[in-house]
């Protein structure tokens, strides 16, 4: 009713006096029940005239009251992003925004037309707005659809330097009015100049000059049409089109790059003959490493930044403008202790004289039982090796995977005969611990594709005879673990692993060797999943950021999910087996680090990795060792470096870590 009264007031002020005199009676008198509610042609025309007059008046008033802001938005006031240790002390500063204005006459025509062809081909003839584009954008916003694609270059420039990136109807209307006024006040070249020098291209770069440096190491004036078309591609969303960040991004970038060049031909700004010379995608250089992020700091900053990106509404473009304070979970003493333990052990290698000692890498992570990532080891130095080995997900878990098979059996029971009920599994259940025991299914022996019965292989070919499951896990006896996986069902083992904290995409083929750790979880994920058993069956998603503020104002950050995949009883049985491994099983070497420790060493069946995963009272830690071919980035055989190598690192770290507060 209030809106109706307002509309009537506007109508009475702005509708022509003659229209008010001709206002017909409604409903129509002298008509039948239905026809009296159907407006006549005259009434319909008058209603249309009234509506148009009202909208014109409202738009006119709003347009008159909308001024071009006299001050730029936060783009001109950017600050560093500051990262803090868990104790609140400063860890790193990243920034300021990398930008540098470049006059339009220094920017190649081919780059300008690549941008215009891809973003706004009618730029030099439109009035600063696209009515059709605005209509589509407003309709999408109202209906909850995609809000992209409704802006001209002028509108994008207004959004960049005067407004914000919020997708709301109010902001879109304000953007439209300012764009029309700006188009009347500035020349098209001035607007294009401002747009090209204020747009975000990813890698922290604002403006085409810094983008040219960030992606090609060149001055923008030196870019050819192919390279310019790639920079134009980034305007659609640098976070999705930087080809260095992922294979999916690379595929999107190549497709959009080809489309942009074809679009330039269609708009008449690139000849077909010249287009034919650009067949190979102009691969950009590797992203530069920010200064001040040497040692482990860069890995920590990257981990925290990715977490903020995935758990908040802060876009990459907004974050690059700076002014954010990121309070992490990382504990400096533990990070220092982990790096020292790795460095000491790697110092024993002799890569100059022993080929097997070359290209050895270590990834390690320490995660509290409540999900906080306390420490990471991502590599020798972030500036030298940007790839983070704490988050690597190509290295097999090996026989450190046994607790997840055990937990699946304890939780879900075993199917020993087809079409019969599942039977409970207990730590005292006896299995055949002999080497080369036949692997069986409910129907009989498991046959391989080459027509042979698959048999188990114990470490060193040792036979253990009839062995309880609990003892099999504690002593890293492969045979019972493999058979248990078959009895439980590998699909259930996989699900139990995901429930514990491993990611669904880290698993391979479900064959008997699946239970011996063909999965490739990152050290962070493996530590987090082990922590589920230490936390009485409760799993908290690993997280690296406690809170984020922007110039002191708290930002929204989704908290990590907490689940209860295992009962306390199941978790206690797994926990006991892992503790027995330390006291008198496969992990006695780590007992010197302290008391109440739990964990298992492990090696991959193909000999490409070795690891130790375990925990103390407050946190779980995983250390993974592997070799990578620097040319192909594929795993190499880990010759001469068995599970003892990561076990020594884990032990040294624990000795120091147990003396520190969690």
């Amino acid at each position: 009713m209030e809106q109706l009264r307002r509309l009537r007031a506007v109508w009475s002020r702005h509708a022509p006096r003659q229209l008010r005199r001709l206002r017909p009676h409604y409903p129509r008198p002298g008509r039948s029940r239905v026809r009296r509610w159907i407006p006549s042609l005259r009434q319909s025309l008058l209603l249309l005239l009234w509506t148009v007059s009202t909208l014109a008046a409202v738009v006119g008033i709003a347009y008159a009251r909308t001024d071009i802001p006299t001050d730029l938005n936060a783009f001109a006031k950017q600050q560093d992003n500051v990262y803090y240790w868990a104790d609140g002390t400063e860890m790193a500063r990243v920034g300021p925004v990398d930008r540098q204005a470049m006059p339009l006459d220094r920017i190649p025509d081919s780059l300008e037309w690549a941008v215009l062809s891809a973003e706004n081909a009618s730029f030099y003839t439109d009035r600063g707005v696209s009515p059709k584009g605005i209509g589509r954008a407003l309709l999408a916003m109202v209906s909850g659809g995609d809000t992209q694609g409704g802006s001209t270059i002028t509108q994008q420039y207004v959004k960049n330097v005067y407004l914000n990136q919020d997708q709301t109807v109010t902001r879109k209307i304000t953007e439209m009015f300012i764009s029309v006024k700006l188009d009347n006040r500035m020349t098209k070249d001035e607007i294009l100049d401002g747009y090209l020098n204020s747009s975000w291209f990813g890698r922290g770069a604002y403006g085409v000059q810094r983008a040219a440096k960030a992606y090609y190491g060149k001055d923008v004036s030196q870019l050819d049409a192919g390279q310019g078309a790639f920079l134009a591609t980034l305007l659609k969303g640098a976070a999705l089109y930087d080809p260095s960040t992922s294979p999916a991004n690379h595929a999107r970038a190549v497709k959009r790059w080809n489309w942009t060049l074809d679009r330039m031909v269609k708009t008449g700004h690139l000849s077909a003959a010249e287009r034919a010379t650009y067949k190979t995608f102009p691969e950009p250089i590797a992203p530069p490493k920010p200064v001040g992020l040497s040692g482990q700091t860069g890995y920590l900053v990257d981990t925290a930044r990715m977490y903020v990106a995935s758990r908040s509404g802060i876009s990459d473009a907004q974050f690059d403008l700076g002014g954010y304070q990121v309070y992490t979970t990382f504990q400096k003493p533990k990070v220092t202790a982990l790096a020292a333990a790795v460095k000491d052990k790697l110092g024993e290698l002799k890569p100059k004289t022993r080929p097997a000692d070359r290209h050895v890498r270590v990834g390690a992570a320490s995660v509290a039982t409540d999900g906080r990532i306390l420490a990471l080891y991502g590599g020798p130095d972030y500036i030298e090796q940007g790839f983070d080995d704490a988050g690597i997900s190509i290295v097999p878990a090996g026989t450190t995977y046994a607790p997840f098979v055990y937990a699946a059996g304890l939780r879900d029971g075993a199917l020993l005969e087809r079409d019969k009920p599942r039977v409970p599994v207990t730590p005292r259940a006896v299995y055949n611990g002999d080497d080369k025991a036949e692997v069986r299914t409910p129907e009989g022996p498991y046959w391989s594709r080459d027509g042979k019965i698959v048999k188990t292989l114990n470490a060193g070919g040792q036979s253990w005879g009839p062995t309880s499951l609990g003892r099999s896990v504690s002593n890293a006896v492969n045979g019972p673990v493999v058979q248990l996986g078959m009895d439980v069902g590998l699909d259930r083992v996989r699900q139990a692993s995901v429930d514990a904290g491993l990611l669904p995409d880290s698993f391979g083929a479900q064959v008997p060797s699946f239970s011996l750790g063909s999965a490739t979880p990152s050290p962070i994920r493996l530590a987090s999943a082990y922590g589920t058993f230490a936390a009485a069956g409760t799993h908290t998603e690993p997280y690296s950021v406690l809170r984020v503020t922007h110039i002191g104002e708290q930002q929204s950050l989704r908290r990590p999910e907490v689940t209860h995949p295992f009962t306390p009883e199941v978790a206690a049985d797994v926990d006991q087996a892992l503790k027995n491994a330390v006291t008198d099983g496969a992990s006695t070497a780590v007992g010197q680090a302290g008391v109440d420790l739990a964990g298992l060493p492990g090696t991959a069946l193909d000999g490409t990795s070795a690891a130790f995963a375990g925990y103390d009272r407050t946190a779980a830690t995983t250390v993974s060792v592997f070799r990578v071919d620097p040319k192909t980035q594929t795993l190499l055989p880990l010759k001469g470096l068995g599970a003892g190598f990561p076990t020594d690192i884990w032990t040294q770290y624990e000795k120091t870590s147990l003396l520190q507060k969690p």
Side-chain angles (χ1 to χ4, degrees):
M1 291 301 293
E2 179 64 25
Q3 292 179 342
L4 183 59
R5 284 195 294 270
R6 290 179 180 176
L7 288 174
R8 286 175 175 171
V10 172
W11 184 87
S12 63
R13 288 197 302 269
H14 300 285
R17 182 175 301 174
Q18 291 82 357
L19 178 60
R20 294 200 298 272
R21 289 176 179 174
L22 294 172
R23 180 173 57 189
H25 293 289
Y26 190 80
R28 299 165 65 189
R31 301 293 192 275
S32 63
R33 292 182 178 179
V34 176
R35 292 184 61 196
R36 66 195 300 262
W37 294 100
I38 300 176
S40 65
L41 177 61
R42 177 169 172 248
Q43 288 172 325
S44 299
L45 292 174
L46 289 174
L47 178 61
L48 177 61
L49 180 59
W50 178 86
T51 301
V52 172
S53 300
T54 300
L55 287 176
V58 171
V59 170
I61 293 171
Y63 179 79
R65 291 182 176 179
T66 301
D67 295 321
I68 298 176
T70 58
D71 196 13
L72 299 182
N73 62 13
F75 172 74
K77 306 172 185 176
Q78 73 278 359
Q79 303 176 33
D80 289 346
N81 290 319
V82 186
Y83 294 80
Y84 297 90
W85 294 102
D87 64 3
T89 58
E90 186 174 311
M91 180 173 72
R93 286 179 176 266
V94 179
V97 167
D98 188 13
R99 62 172 178 153
Q100 178 183 349
M102 179 62 63
L104 196 62
D105 59 9
R106 289 278 307 279
I107 300 174
D109 290 344
S110 59
L111 192 157
E112 294 178 32
W113 286 113
V115 170
L116 294 177
S117 297
E119 297 290 311
N120 184 190
S122 63
F123 171 71
Y124 279 104
T125 57
D126 64 38
R127 300 294 297 173
V129 297
S130 168
K132 290 183 178 179
I134 291 173
R136 289 195 303 269
L138 291 176
L139 180 61
M141 280 185 280
V142 172
S143 61
D146 185 6
T147 58
Q148 302 299 319
S151 298
T152 63
I153 291 291
T154 306
Q155 288 174 262
Q156 293 182 49
Y157 175 58
V158 167
K159 179 174 60 177
N160 286 346
V161 301
Y162 293 119
L163 302 175
N164 55 46
Q165 305 299 318
D166 293 342
Q167 296 290 349
T168 64
V169 174
T170 300
R171 205 275 297 152
K172 198 71 180 178
I173 293 175
T174 303
E175 171 194 298
M176 177 182 66
F177 291 154
I178 295 177
S179 298
V180 173
K181 289 192 173 185
L182 201 68
D183 191 75
N184 291 329
R185 182 177 299 182
M186 297 174 65
T187 66
K188 288 290 188 179
D189 282 350
E190 288 173 335
I191 294 173
L192 182 59
D193 181 291
Y195 174 72
L196 293 175
N197 283 296
S198 65
S199 293
W200 180 68
F201 289 85
R203 298 191 179 182
Y206 279 81
V208 289
Q209 170 65 0
R210 299 316 302 169
K213 293 285 187 181
Y215 288 94
Y216 292 109
K218 299 179 180 180
D219 187 274
V220 66
S221 62
Q222 299 175 313
L223 299 184
D224 60 30
Q227 294 165 334
F230 169 69
L231 293 192
T233 292
L234 294 168
L235 292 170
K236 188 171 177 62
L240 294 174
Y241 290 88
D242 183 346
S244 67
T245 56
S246 72
N249 275 16
H250 191 280
R252 275 191 291 266
V254 173
K255 183 178 180 180
R256 179 74 177 178
W257 174 75
N258 277 302
W259 178 87
T260 300
L261 289 171
D262 291 342
R263 179 72 176 159
M264 291 175 69
V265 174
K266 186 175 182 179
T267 57
H269 296 104
L270 186 69
S271 68
E274 188 176 3
R275 166 66 179 96
T277 64
Y278 294 105
K279 297 180 179 179
T280 304
F281 179 68
E283 298 287 351
I285 61 177
K289 298 293 186 300
V291 296
L293 298 182
S294 60
Q296 298 304 303
T297 304
Y299 304 118
L300 304 179
V301 166
D302 273 0
T303 300
R305 174 67 190 97
M306 288 188 290
Y307 186 81
V308 171
S310 66
R311 308 293 294 189
S312 74
I314 304 169
S315 70
D316 288 340
Q318 289 172 314
F319 198 82
D320 279 349
L321 285 175
Y324 290 92
Q325 299 82 43
V326 182
Y327 296 86
T328 75
T329 61
F330 304 124
Q331 297 186 3
K332 187 175 183 180
K334 291 186 181 295
V335 172
T336 302
L338 187 56
V342 175
K343 183 178 180 181
D344 288 350
K345 193 63 182 177
L346 288 176
E348 299 176 4
L349 301 179
K350 298 179 180 179
K352 292 184 179 180
T353 58
R354 288 199 304 238
D357 287 356
R358 296 169 188 166
H359 314 307
V360 175
R361 285 165 49 170
V362 176
S366 187
V367 182
T369 53
D370 62 5
R372 288 172 296 133
I373 303 176
L374 305 179
L376 299 175
Y377 180 85
D381 189 292
Y382 180 76
I383 303 301
E384 298 176 9
Q385 178 196 298
F387 196 80
D388 182 6
D389 289 332
I392 195 170
S393 56
I394 61 171
V395 182
T399 45
T400 60
Y401 187 72
F404 306 110
V405 184
Y406 189 35
L410 295 171
R411 185 182 73 175
D412 297 343
L415 182 64
L416 302 180
E417 296 181 63
R418 187 64 63 198
D419 300 325
K420 293 293 181 67
R422 301 182 74 86
V423 299
V425 171
T426 70
R428 294 178 296 280
V430 176
Y431 273 69
N432 185 354
D434 287 340
D435 188 45
K436 297 182 180 179
E438 292 185 357
V439 177
R440 301 187 64 81
T441 71
E443 290 81 14
Y446 184 94
W447 297 83
S448 64
R449 291 185 177 181
D450 59 3
K452 297 180 180 180
I453 295 176
V454 175
K455 297 182 179 181
T456 62
L457 293 174
N458 289 337
Q462 182 177 356
S463 289
W464 293 74
T467 309
S468 70
L469 282 178
R471 186 165 179 260
S472 297
V473 173
S474 299
N475 289 277
V477 185
N478 292 345
V481 173
V482 171
Q483 187 57 57
L484 176 62
M486 300 302 293
D487 292 346
V488 175
L490 297 180
D491 56 338
R492 288 175 177 261
V493 172
R494 180 185 183 279
Q495 186 58 54
S497 307
V498 172
D499 294 343
L502 303 190
L503 294 178
D505 60 0
S506 61
F507 298 92
Q510 292 185 8
V511 295
S513 59
F514 181 91
S515 296
L516 295 180
S518 60
T520 57
S522 68
I524 294 175
R525 281 286 168 177
L526 187 55
S528 171
Y530 258 68
T532 301
F533 305 121
T538 296
H539 174 68
T540 304
E541 283 290 294
Y543 64 101
S544 57
V545 178
L546 297 168
R547 59 191 177 94
V548 180
T549 60
H550 184 249
I551 316 179
E553 183 177 343
Q554 190 78 23
Q555 301 296 295
S556 174
L557 191 69
R558 297 194 304 278
R559 303 308 302 168
E561 291 78 13
V562 178
T563 57
H564 305 278
F566 306 109
T567 65
E569 292 75 21
V570 167
D573 286 339
V574 178
D575 174 67
Q576 189 60 57
L578 295 176
K579 286 180 177 176
N580 289 343
V582 176
T583 56
D584 59 1
S587 308
T588 54
V590 306
Q592 59 181 296
V595 297
D596 208 23
L597 301 177
L600 278 179
T603 54
L605 281 180
D606 61 2
T608 58
S609 68
F612 190 93
Y615 51 83
D616 54 36
R617 297 184 184 93
T618 60
T621 302
T622 295
V623 179
S624 180
V625 179
F626 52 98
R627 296 175 64 226
V628 173
D629 187 315
K631 295 182 179 179
T632 64
Q633 293 300 302
T634 57
L635 295 179
L636 297 171
L638 196 62
K639 298 178 180 179
L641 299 179
F645 196 93
T647 299
D648 289 347
I649 295 173
W650 194 95
T651 303
Q652 181 178 334
Y653 168 70
E654 276 296 320
K655 286 181 179 178
T656 306
S657 181
L658 286 173
L659 300 176
Q660 303 168 352
K661 292 183 178 181

